Amino acid sequence: MQANDVLEPTVRIRDLKKDRVNFVLENVDLAFANSFRRVMMADIPTVAIDMVEVETNTSVLPDEFIAHRLGMIPLVSNNCDEAMRYSRDCTCLSSCQNCSIELSLNVACSESRTMDITSDHLEVILHGGHGWKEDVEDGEEMSKRVPNFGHPVGKGDPDVPPVLICKIRKGQELRLRCIAKKGIAKEHAKWSPCSAVSFEYDPHNRLRHTTYWYETDIKAEWPLSSNKTEEEPPRDDEPFDYNAKPQKFYFEVETDGSLGPQEVVQKGLAELQTKLANLILGLKSQPGDLDGFPGADQVGQQQPNGTNGAAPSGGWGGGGGGWGGASASPGAWGGATGAPATGAWSASPGSNTAGGWGAPTPGAAGWGTSPGAGSAGGAAAWSPQQGGSWGNTSPSHASGWNV
Amino acid sequence: MNAPNRYELFVLDEGEKPVEVSEDTKIPNAATIKILKQDHTLGNMIRAQLLAMPQVLFAGYKVPHPLHPYFLVKIQTDGTVTPAAVLEQACTKLIGTLSSLEAKFKREFSFKDVEGPAVEDPYGTNASGTAWGTGTRDYMDF
């Protein structure tokens, strides 16, 4: 590590493809390289299907099985940092175009052969078809999206085989709607932009960080990795240098297509810096240290994970997390209703009437459910899972699945 | 269900302080710093950077329980700087390293052009990439 203070870290990209990058990182500490790896895998936001409402499912697979598969489908998430809000930070009540993407799947088989339902059948619905979305103005996020934002990766590209979701036979049908949300892989691995990250150092095991089991001859029984050419093999009579530190790290970052490899690497480095900057900020705002927030503007803009990311917009965002921060307590909902919630939601607690949500005629101002009374009417399909917008966290009966 | 929201693992509660410094009463120039809603990603990196700094006599970190989303860093310095100050210096240094690395990555990426298709036939099925229903059926070759 001492040497690292003198030597600048260097990087050399050995191979760059559309979905993967292979590079060598030098003159950094093992802990640093490992943190970089971890942050790329678990801290970069992407979009993934998070809730599924099944209207018809006559296929052989049960609803939750399909809902889980849908969640795993990679969706195009370029520039997700700016192009989408976390729904917990959004000012809307359950979901809106700023913090979610609606997709629908409607496939029926009428031929007498097996039919594959794939991710190609998923259609993004712009400006919510059935009025389940709230009437919220477009935020600045909308303008930062790429045209195919939220579409399944590789859709419409004949070179990319689609993801198989289910198979149906004649007379079977699958009809459902999904809400995709932004999240990070610490919450659920479906939000990871990486399908694999390989990380290696010291291919000749000079540092003896590992021991090889062998029968008679290590060298004959253990093939060396392909990175062996990057480093000199140790001479047989070389004494063990117990002070040596790993200096050269071989990475291969393979993405699932939701983000490009360059974006993953760059966002990973940026995310690490944000984490550190927030720590500095936290240290500076310690009581007793009266210089306040001198660097307050150095972070901020991109709602780093792990902070009370300033909620985008006024509304109720007062306290930071705003809506999401209020957590799932039923009181949260009641508290907000007095506010500008508009008459649209006949959200009078206790009016446990209308089945509201999944009902085919959403005309009746939908949401008649009383907060906390998770029971609601017949088809309380969209059980909101996080954000606690309904004060009801239980994944509901009926046909809504939290993925 | 009473399971806490999973985002509580990495989002600070309202009004929650990201850092709490408590000075050690028995060891001179030492402090234990609690960093909330962070994990090994930050902890190990900071620990390593602190150990590389000459003012630091001791630095270690631990995550006391895997279900509790915080870690503790224990720092003892030689008295020239406070533990909190040395932690701040460490973070600043790391940010410097990261931003220089970021610039280098940017340069490297600009040199390299994306070559070739994303994946060459990941399922090993060469037959018609067209979806379902066109006579030849993929996914069946397994």
Side-chain angles (χ1 to χ4, degrees):
Chain A
M1 185 69 206
Q2 284 77 9
N4 293 341
D5 296 334
V6 198
L7 288 169
E8 279 275 293
T10 57
V11 65
R12 176 164 48 92
I13 295 181
R14 295 196 291 194
D15 187 26
L16 178 62
K17 291 246 169 64
K18 212 169 158 191
D19 69 334
R20 67 188 61 212
V21 61
N22 185 311
F23 59 88
V24 185
L25 189 61
E26 271 177 271
N27 302 327
V28 297
D29 192 66
L30 174 58
F32 183 97
N34 190 45
S35 292
F36 182 34
R37 178 191 65 83
R38 283 175 62 100
V39 88
M40 284 192 292
M41 292 203 298
D43 288 288
I44 296 174
T46 61
V47 184
I49 290 172
D50 199 33
M51 278 189 274
V52 179
E53 179 197 28
V54 181
E55 267 176 71
T56 314
N57 175 15
T58 49
S59 74
V60 290
L61 294 182
D63 294 359
E64 56 269 54
F65 207 122
I66 291 173
H68 181 245
R69 289 185 172 192
L70 286 166
M72 300 305 201
I73 295 171
L75 306 179
V76 173
S77 318
N78 295 93
N79 197 25
C80 193
D81 265 351
E82 294 172 346
M84 200 160 170
R85 292 177 199 166
Y86 287 109
S87 58
R88 58 172 181 271
D89 291 336
C90 192
T91 50
C92 69
L93 295 180
S94 62
S95 59
C96 67
Q97 72 273 26
N98 294 318
C99 67
S100 61
I101 285 170
E102 186 183 359
L103 298 104
S104 79
L105 184 70
N106 187 352
V107 186
C109 181
S110 54
E111 292 164 72
S112 49
R113 76 158 95 115
T114 318
M115 179 178 176
D116 292 347
I117 302 179
T118 67
S119 60
D120 275 351
H121 292 108
L122 277 170
E123 300 286 348
V124 170
I125 305 175
L126 296 168
H127 302 297
H130 301 274
W132 60 272
K133 265 188 202 163
E134 297 162 38
D135 241 346
V136 179
E137 283 176 34
D138 283 4
E140 53 174 352
E141 287 85 1
M142 300 299 286
S143 60
K144 292 180 175 159
R145 293 187 183 170
V146 291
N148 62 344
F149 189 80
H151 290 246
V153 166
K155 190 177 174 181
D157 184 348
D159 296 332
V160 181
V163 180
L164 181 64
I165 298 167
C166 183
K167 293 188 179 191
I168 54 176
R169 59 166 291 169
K170 188 178 184 180
Q172 294 181 335
E173 185 182 14
L174 185 59
R175 195 160 71 229
L176 47 83
R177 289 189 294 166
C178 319
I179 294 188
K181 292 190 164 170
K182 176 175 159 183
I184 65 169
K186 254 185 210 171
E187 188 166 346
H188 191 295
K190 68 186 174 187
W191 277 298
S192 181
C194 301
S195 47
V197 180
S198 79
F199 174 85
E200 187 187 14
Y201 62 91
D202 187 25
H204 297 286
N205 196 29
R206 281 163 172 264
L207 306 170
R208 303 192 191 171
H209 284 194
T210 189
T211 44
Y212 292 116
W213 178 91
Y214 62 95
E215 268 182 16
T216 46
D217 179 16
I218 301 188
K219 278 184 181 160
E221 289 165 39
W222 288 95
L224 289 165
S225 89
S226 57
N227 294 319
K228 63 174 182 250
T229 48
E230 295 272 349
E231 287 177 30
E232 281 291 303
R235 283 175 287 113
D236 284 333
D237 57 344
E238 199 170 303
F240 175 52
D241 178 7
Y242 48 83
N243 282 320
K245 291 246 167 68
Q247 292 290 326
K248 219 171 168 186
F249 301 92
Y250 309 96
F251 279 84
E252 173 146 331
V253 179
E254 181 185 328
T255 75
D256 63 7
S258 52
L259 298 176
Q262 176 166 10
E263 195 169 350
V264 169
V265 167
Q266 305 262 339
K267 287 268 156 68
L269 291 169
E271 180 62 41
L272 267 181
Q273 292 183 56
T274 321
K275 277 175 188 287
L276 288 160
N278 282 312
L279 177 52
I280 295 179
L281 221 65
L283 279 170
K284 287 203 166 140
S285 60
Q286 278 292 311
D289 187 1
L290 294 176
D291 58 353
F293 293 83
D297 48 348
Q298 67 194 86
V299 257
Q301 352 87 320
Q302 53 169 0
Q303 310 165 20
N305 303 318
T307 40
N308 265 331
S313 102
W316 308 315
W323 187 238
S327 89
S329 77
W333 172 248
T337 41
T342 82
W345 321 97
S346 61
S348 58
S351 71
N352 200 355
T353 50
W357 218 189
T361 51
W367 320 65
T369 47
S370 67
S375 50
W382 293 98
S383 66
Q385 124 177 333
Q386 317 93 346
S389 31
W390 285 94
N392 158 24
T393 39
S394 62
S396 85
H397 23 72
S399 47
W401 294 105
N402 293 317
V403 181
Chain B
M1 289 217 291
N2 62 354
N5 286 317
R6 268 181 295 187
Y7 65 76
E8 285 172 22
L9 292 175
F10 48 88
V11 179
L12 288 163
D13 292 337
E14 209 150 322
E16 197 174 31
K17 286 237 154 56
V19 189
E20 287 166 28
V21 182
S22 52
E23 269 169 38
D24 204 304
T25 48
K26 292 183 179 158
I27 311 166
N29 306 314
T32 304
I33 298 162
K34 182 181 182 185
I35 295 163
L36 286 94
K37 304 290 158 93
Q38 293 295 347
D39 60 5
H40 299 275
T41 305
L42 202 58
N44 192 29
M45 190 165 76
I46 288 173
R47 191 219 85 228
Q49 179 63 44
L50 283 167
L51 288 174
M53 299 171 74
Q55 310 96 311
V56 176
L57 301 184
F58 177 88
Y61 89 102
K62 68 173 171 186
V63 179
H65 192 284
L67 289 178
H68 294 159
Y70 69 88
F71 70 87
L72 303 169
V73 213
K74 204 173 246 282
I75 307 171
Q76 187 186 13
T77 65
D78 58 6
T80 52
V81 276
T82 64
V86 86
L87 176 62
E88 199 188 313
Q89 284 172 26
C91 291
T92 320
K93 254 190 183 163
L94 282 171
I95 290 180
T97 317
L98 282 163
S99 55
S100 84
L101 194 60
E102 210 174 355
K104 281 181 181 140
F105 259 113
K106 207 171 235 166
R107 232 191 48 196
E108 278 283 312
F109 272 116
S110 67
F111 289 154
K112 286 268 175 182
D113 260 339
V114 174
E115 294 142 16
V119 262
E120 297 83 18
D121 207 13
Y123 302 119
T125 57
N126 242 329
S128 65
T130 50
W132 46 280
T134 44
T136 53
R137 307 200 33 261
D138 34 4
Y139 295 115
M140 283 298 281
D141 305 3
F142 286 111

